[in-house]
Amino acid sequence: MVKCWIFSSKNKENIRRASERLTWGFWDRDLAKRRESKLVKNWRSFLRHYNRISSGDLVFFQIAQSGEIHALGIVKGKHYDDQTPIWDLELRKKRVLFPWRVSFYIIMYSEEPFAQHFTEIKNYVDGYGIGEIPFHEAKQILSELKKKYPLNVNVYL
């Protein structure tokens, strides 16, 4: 059964880069500086979510603070420990910071947000920026996409 996800980012550049590379990455717990870090505290919740991501799942990419959704993608697969630096922060530090990767068949990206999503995601994992959303919310976001762009987007959920 297809699941719908929100992946959050601090900025639009990360989402743009994901659309160019058809991949998304999540922090590794071992990069946490302090024991009380959200990365350490929420590690098990992240792993439960990550392990539930499947091929064919639908992902909405949003800016964490604004809720602006700039992209949607269809999951191809997932894999851990890709050591290819992709994001600006990784390129500056010359090391991989987001090795928990998800690959995509397609990511549709827009510079202008095509929707905003501000409802509470009950199972959102803070620090990792991942949460599963109910189908009715995914359909609402897709209807906003249809209003802005002359696309006929139909997804069987």
Side-chain angles (χ1 to χ4, degrees):
M1 177 183 236
V2 171
K3 293 174 286 305
C4 300
W5 302 92
I6 289 278
F7 289 0
S8 296
S9 175
K10 290 183 179 181
N11 61 56
K12 188 168 50 173
E13 180 56 39
N14 290 339
I15 298 171
R16 182 183 310 112
R17 186 68 48 86
S19 73
E20 294 166 358
R21 302 295 292 266
L22 295 175
T23 194
W24 188 253
F26 293 99
W27 288 100
D28 189 51
R29 172 189 62 179
D30 294 339
L31 298 171
K33 300 259 190 266
R34 296 175 299 193
R35 283 291 222 197
E36 65 276 2
S37 162
K38 290 178 191 176
L39 297 180
V40 172
K41 185 174 99 176
N42 295 334
W43 177 247
R44 287 186 180 173
S45 293
F46 164 71
L47 282 180
R48 277 193 298 275
H49 281 66
Y50 184 81
N51 287 329
R52 292 186 59 236
I53 297 170
S54 301
S55 180
D57 285 357
L58 187 62
V59 174
F60 298 97
F61 297 86
Q62 77 171 11
I63 306 296
Q65 296 299 317
S66 68
E68 294 177 345
I69 296 177
H70 286 272
L72 68 92
I74 298 174
V75 173
K76 181 177 182 181
K78 62 184 188 238
H79 50 283
Y80 169 65
D81 209 17
D82 185 331
Q83 291 299 309
T84 308
I86 293 175
W87 289 272
D88 290 344
L89 183 60
E90 292 178 326
L91 296 171
R92 277 195 307 275
K93 293 191 177 218
K94 296 184 172 126
R95 66 186 178 112
V96 173
L97 302 171
F98 310 102
W100 291 80
R101 303 284 171 92
V102 177
S103 61
F104 292 85
Y105 289 112
I106 186 172
I107 295 177
M108 295 178 359
Y109 171 80
S110 172
E111 283 290 321
E112 295 298 318
F114 54 80
Q116 279 191 297
H117 186 75
F118 266 128
T119 63
E120 180 183 348
I121 302 170
K122 291 182 171 74
N123 60 4
Y124 185 80
V125 182
D126 201 17
Y128 290 93
I130 183 174
E132 187 176 357
I133 61 172
F135 296 132
H136 71 277
E137 290 183 29
K139 286 182 179 183
Q140 183 180 7
I141 295 168
L142 288 171
S143 73
E144 291 297 315
L145 174 68
K146 286 180 182 183
K147 288 178 191 174
K148 282 202 158 185
Y149 301 100
L151 298 170
N152 187 9
V153 179
N154 290 314
V155 178
Y156 179 72
L157 300 175

